[in-house]
């Protein structure tokens, strides 16, 4: 939670970037996209050679775009290129390392390629609007048009190779918006609320053996974490560049699910008897952790075994820490 809360510190807003910084950011973006497309091509070459050839072509085009941007930058600002990337800009869509996942399916690659092309197209369109130099404006506007061509090409790949799934563009867009606007923030909130509140709640429980005190601590921890996570999600990204949708919806999803995650194992202490309340809280913790595993596997495509190992091990370690600290 603290990482999210301070994630915007030290970053620049896109609106505040200079023309030089925008060009440097565009260069970084093109280099990264070229490598990603090349990696997709390598991954698909064995089973889908025609699709791999298309991604190879897209990688070459992105490389050419990057060289044009470098030439324009060096002509106007000199040889030294500012080391700026998407990590340095608030709300900028950061590529997730999905291309490192083994056995990545064609449908997932298709979806990621569509999202890459869309966000790059939108970035160059907005960058062109901010360019004061006419030559740079034309270059960025042309790149926005080229990225739009990539977007159409990725859709054509879907039509050619995924006929059996019969996914329309609207279905794909709606599904991705659901993931980006509701599932991702909600999952982050549920994980934070379920795991981060375990230690204070159970430390209080085993230190006091008082259900009322434990309930009050649990309520304050859950509500406070929900407000913090919801506020952080809403203000750190307005969704314009990232395409993640309404910040209010994302903040609501994150905040509510964080509070639910904490309340799940706090409310059992409404029971006035300590051990029945605690045993029920343990059972609810178990259900919460498995719910997180299921969501990660179902919506985020995380392999089930890996998700179970990471979530349950992490949760049990935090739970154990709370029990040990409270009982000492």
């Amino acid at each position: 939670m603290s990482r999210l809360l301070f994630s915007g510190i030290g970053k620049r807003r896109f609106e505040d970037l200079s023309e030089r910084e925008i060009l440097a950011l565009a260069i970084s973006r093109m280099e990264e996209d070229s490598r990603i497309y090349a990696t997709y091509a390598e991954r698909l070459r064995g089973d889908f050679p025609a699709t791999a050839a298309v991604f190879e072509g897209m990688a070459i085009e992105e490389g050419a775009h990057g060289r044009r941007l470098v030439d324009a930058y060096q002509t106007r600002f000199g040889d030294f290129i500012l080391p700026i990337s998407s990590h340095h800009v608030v709300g900028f869509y950061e590529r997730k390392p999905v291309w490192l996942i083994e056995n990545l399916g064609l449908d997932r690659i298709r979806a990621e390629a569509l999202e890459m092309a869309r966000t790059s197209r939108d970035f160059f369109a907005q960058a062109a609007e901010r360019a004061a130099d006419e030559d740079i404006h034309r270059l960025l506007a042309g790149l926005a048009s080229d990225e739009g061509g990539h977007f159409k090409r990725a859709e054509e790949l879907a039509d050619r190779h995924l006929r059996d799934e019969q996914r329309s563009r609207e279905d794909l867009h709606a599904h991705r918006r659901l993931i980006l606007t509701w599932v991702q923030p909600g999952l982050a909130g549920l994980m934070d609320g379920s795991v981060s509140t375990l230690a204070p709640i159970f430390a209080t429980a085993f230190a006091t053996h008082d259900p009322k005190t434990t309930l009050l601590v649990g309520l304050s921890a859950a509500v406070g974490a929900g407000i913090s996570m919801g506020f952080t999600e809403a203000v750190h990204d307005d969704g314009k560049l990232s395409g993640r949708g309404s910040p209010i919806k994302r903040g609501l999803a994150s905040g509510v699910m964080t509070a639910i995650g904490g309340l799940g194992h706090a409310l059992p202490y409404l029971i006035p008897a300590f051990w029945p309340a605690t045993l029920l809280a343990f059972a609810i913790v178990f259900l919460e952790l498995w719910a997180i595993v299921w969501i990660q596997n179902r919506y985020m495509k995380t392999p089930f075994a890996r998700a179970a190992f990471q979530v349950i091990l992490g949760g049990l370690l935090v739970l154990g820490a709370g029990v040990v600290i409270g009982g000492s």
Side-chain angles (χ1 to χ4, degrees):
M1 183 171 63
S2 59
R3 180 181 66 82
L4 289 173
L5 185 59
F6 296 105
S7 61
I9 294 179
K11 294 188 177 185
R12 299 281 302 281
R13 294 193 310 161
F14 179 74
E15 293 80 5
D16 297 333
L17 296 181
S18 66
E19 194 170 69
R20 183 184 185 188
E21 291 168 332
I22 288 175
L23 274 180
L25 179 61
I27 292 169
S28 172
R29 184 61 151 213
M30 287 294 94
E31 292 174 347
E32 181 182 21
D33 284 3
S34 179
R35 290 192 298 268
I36 295 172
Y37 285 134
T39 305
Y40 285 157
E42 182 65 25
R43 183 68 52 80
L44 295 171
R45 187 169 287 112
D47 296 326
F48 304 99
T51 305
V54 173
F55 277 116
E56 287 175 351
M58 293 168 72
I60 293 172
E61 287 183 22
E62 298 294 70
H65 293 166
R67 289 190 292 274
R68 289 170 60 191
L69 287 165
V70 169
D71 291 341
Y73 182 101
Q74 292 179 335
T75 298
R76 185 169 176 81
F77 301 110
D79 292 338
F80 176 73
I81 299 176
L82 295 173
I84 184 173
S85 70
S86 58
H87 302 285
H88 304 128
V89 182
V90 173
F92 201 89
Y93 184 84
E94 298 181 9
R95 306 298 193 208
K96 298 185 182 299
V98 294
W99 56 92
L100 299 179
I101 300 176
E102 293 296 329
N103 302 318
L104 198 64
L106 181 60
D107 56 343
R108 182 73 185 279
I109 291 177
R110 183 273 303 261
E112 292 300 325
L114 282 170
E115 189 66 14
M116 284 175 60
R118 185 195 67 77
T119 55
S120 292
R121 179 196 62 192
D122 294 347
F123 163 69
F124 282 117
Q126 295 185 47
E129 293 177 359
R130 293 181 49 78
D133 183 86
E134 185 62 30
D135 291 336
I136 293 178
H137 172 80
R138 283 197 298 269
L139 172 61
L140 294 173
L143 291 177
S145 177
D146 290 343
E147 291 299 325
H150 283 181
F151 186 80
K152 292 179 181 178
R153 195 176 308 176
E155 289 183 316
E156 291 171 358
L157 290 176
D159 293 338
R160 184 182 310 138
H161 296 290
L162 300 176
R163 290 194 188 97
D164 292 341
E165 296 183 17
Q166 296 181 343
R167 291 186 180 179
S168 66
R169 184 188 316 173
E170 291 78 12
D171 291 337
L172 178 63
H173 177 75
H175 178 70
R176 289 195 59 79
R177 180 55 58 90
L178 171 68
I179 297 295
L180 293 173
T181 304
W182 295 106
V183 177
Q184 282 185 348
L187 178 61
L190 182 61
M191 292 178 66
D192 188 88
S194 297
V195 176
S196 68
T197 59
L198 287 174
I201 290 176
F202 286 101
T204 303
F206 281 87
T208 65
H209 283 254
D210 181 5
K212 182 178 180 181
T213 301
T214 304
L215 176 64
L216 292 177
V217 170
L219 290 176
S220 62
V223 173
I227 293 173
S228 176
M229 284 289 287
F231 180 77
T232 300
E233 179 63 42
V235 301
H236 93 282
D237 177 10
D238 62 10
K240 293 180 180 179
L241 280 176
S242 66
R244 297 178 65 221
S246 167
I248 296 177
K249 292 179 180 178
R250 289 185 285 104
L252 183 64
S254 180
V256 169
M257 293 306 292
T258 301
I260 289 175
L263 290 173
H265 42 268
L267 292 179
Y269 287 97
L270 287 168
I271 301 173
F274 172 75
W275 280 112
T278 300
L279 292 175
L280 178 59
F282 281 156
I284 291 176
V285 168
F286 178 80
L287 294 176
E288 289 172 344
L289 296 179
W290 276 109
I292 293 171
V293 171
W294 182 84
I295 293 172
Q296 284 192 329
N297 176 257
R298 172 67 176 80
Y299 291 100
M300 311 308 296
K301 307 303 181 183
T302 304
F304 186 85
R306 188 174 72 186
F309 177 77
Q310 293 173 342
V311 173
I312 294 178
L313 177 62
L316 291 179
L317 287 175
V318 176
L319 173 62
V323 172
V324 171
I325 293 171
S328 62

